[in-house]
Structures are given as structure tokens and as C-alpha cells.
Amino acid sequence: MTTTIQAIDSEIKEAADKYAEEIFRQSDNNCEFVSILKSDAQKRIYHDMINYPDEFKDKPKLLNVEPWNGKKPLGPKDFLNKKAVVLPSLPQILIQIKRVVNNPASTADDLVSVINKDPKLVASILRLANSEAFDLSGTIDTPSKAVALLGVQKAGLLALGTVSFSMFKKSKIAVLELEKFWQHSIACGIIAQEIARTAKLGDPDPFFVSGLLHDIGLHIIFESERNLAVEILRLADAKQISFYDAEMEVLGFNHAVLGGVISQDWELPPNLVRAAAGHHDPEIIKTDLEAAVIHVADYFARALGYELGLSLIIGDLNKDALKTIGITPFQFIELIPRLRLLIDETLKTLNSD
Ligand SMILES: [Fe+2]
């Protein structure tokens, strides 16, 4: 009996190791950060394979999907101009928040009066301000308290991030699991914020918002045309590459470039535009701190299990980004339990209705 249990156990361990091997297939296994994340993933996957075996069953293929028409757009602008792409229009409230955030003379009352116009925004701000990520848990019951404690700039950025994010509604196409997209974005925001704190990169809050919004282009690509989304995933699977490499092959640009164009069109703050546009671009990552932090936070988030559910392989971690940030592997090992705690608590707070 014991031998049977041991045999099953070692079979699961072997399967977990194999699964982790796949996730990090394109990553440089000599990189210390990658080995830390890989051994963390092996343990997590082993645990999940025992507790949530259904998660590891092959996903049913999307049936009745016509092959993609193969017409490459001329570029991100051309793609956005196509009828198939429904870009959420910029709500009035976002314009008003931007006005407050961009004006150094804005007072707390200016921001509170904008927030109070939208009950959904009030609820989101209160939830976010009370979540573990902001150290003020459970003490904030009005937007004016949130603004007083966080300050106009921070609260304004949070409002900006919350409103932008809430524009993405579940579409009928549903190739992208909105729940996973949301969790990944929150995880990336928190990790970016904590990297900034640990590496002493200045105010960590803008990094949270950049992380929250970094994949807006991905949402648009995957929810624009079902057959295009399926084609990207099919290619990623067939060639064993990450989905953003597959996006490049299919479209000639990836979601990061598209996200940059969208956030620029919306006139979001330049740091958000740079983070969205540059987080998969090795050249931008070399010189731009925002893009470097979001690249690393995005990779860490997916490696820690807060992935998008699109393809198993997570690509590679850019070494220049790590250099730009200046975080050490030891600091990162120390940080992992805090990251998990903050992410899980924040998701719990945001999910509680
Ligand atoms: Fe991305």
C-alpha cells in the first residue's frame, strides 16, 4: 500500500517538474531569478496537481471557429481602425480625473468631488484603499478619507487605474478568461509596487497603476476577433512559443505596442504609456525604468502562478531589466512570501461583494 502511495507521489512530482520545465522552456535557467522561480513553481504545481487536478486537464478546443482570414494589419493603428475592434471610449469621468491628476494645484476636494460622481468608482476606490496593498486596511470608509490618507496624486492615480480597467467588460468572444486577466493585472501591479519599494525606485504607487494597466493591448487583441485569438494560441502551441511571440508572427506587432498606442490615444500619463508599450521590448527595457519594472513584474507574476491562461510558456526574463532595477536574488527570495500575501489578500478584498 505504502509503496503504491509512494509510487503515485513520485509520479505527481515528476509530472509537476515536467510542467514547470515547460513553463520556463524559453527562460535562461542559469539566471538565479529563474532558478528561484522554477523551484517555487515545482512546489506550487505539485501542490495544485494534488488539490486541483482539473486545472491540469487539457482545455476543450474552441470548436466551430473559422480559420483566421490571414490579413495582416499594416500596424497597430490600422488594426484599431478595423471594424472588428471595439475600443472602449474614454468616459467623461476619466477625463476629469486626468485633469485633477495633471494639475499640481488640485486639492483633495477637487478629486473627491469627481470620485463622488460615480458610485462604482467610490466602491472601487474604497476597496482598493482598504486592501492589504495600501497598508491602511479597514480604516477608510469615505472617498475623502481615502484621498486625505493617500494624497491627491496617489488617490488620483488609483482612480485613473480603476476607471480605465473597469472599461474592459466580458465580451462574447471569451477567449481570454477575464478573471485571470484581472488577477494577473492586480498581481503585476502589486509586484511592480513592491519591486519599486525594495529597490528604492521612488514612489511605488505609480508602478502599481502601470502594472494594473500594462496589458490593455492584450485585452483588445484577444477580444477583437475570435478566429484571430484562436490562431495566435494555435501558433503558440504548435511552435511551443510564448503568446506574445505568436502575436508578432501573426500580426507583426504584439499587445505591448498596441497597448502603448491605445494609452497614448487616451492621453494617459507618460509613465503608463511607456510601461505598456515597452514591457516586451528589449531595447526600451534597457533604458526605461518603468518598462523594466513592468517587464520583471509581469514575468514574476506569471512565474508565481498569476498567469493569463493563454499559453504555458512565459518567455524569458530580460537581464538588462534586472540590472536597470538593481534588485538582488536574495532580496527577491525574501520578498516572495510578502508578494503572495499582498496579492491574495488584495484579490480577496476586491472580490468580496
Ligand atoms: Fe504583456
Side-chain angles (χ1 to χ4, degrees), residues 52 113 119 147 190 221 240 249 263 297 301 342:
Y52 316 103
S113 68
V147 177
I190 289 175
I221 288 183
Q240 295 287 293
E249 278 199 37
S263 42
L342 285 179

Side-chain angles (χ1 to χ4, degrees), residues 184 214-215 218 243-244 247 255-256 276 279-280 298 302 308:
H184 169 71
H214 76 290
D215 268 344
L218 186 139
F243 64 83
Y244 51 87
E247 287 170 343
H255 66 269
H279 72 280
H280 293 301
D298 172 43
R302 287 180 292 134
L308 289 151

Side-chain angles (χ1 to χ4, degrees), residues 84-131:
V85 179
V86 184
L87 194 61
S89 61
L90 206 58
Q92 198 53 31
I93 189 120
L94 196 58
I95 297 168
Q96 291 174 13
I97 298 167
K98 265 173 31 194
R99 214 170 279 154
V100 174
V101 172
N102 293 338
N103 182 359
S106 296
T107 64
D109 284 347
D110 295 335
L111 183 60
V112 172
S113 68
V114 174
I115 294 173
N116 280 339
K117 280 184 197 159
D118 182 347
K120 260 173 68 190
L121 177 58
V122 171
S124 310
I125 284 286
L126 292 183
R127 274 186 189 172
L128 208 53
N130 280 308
S131 70

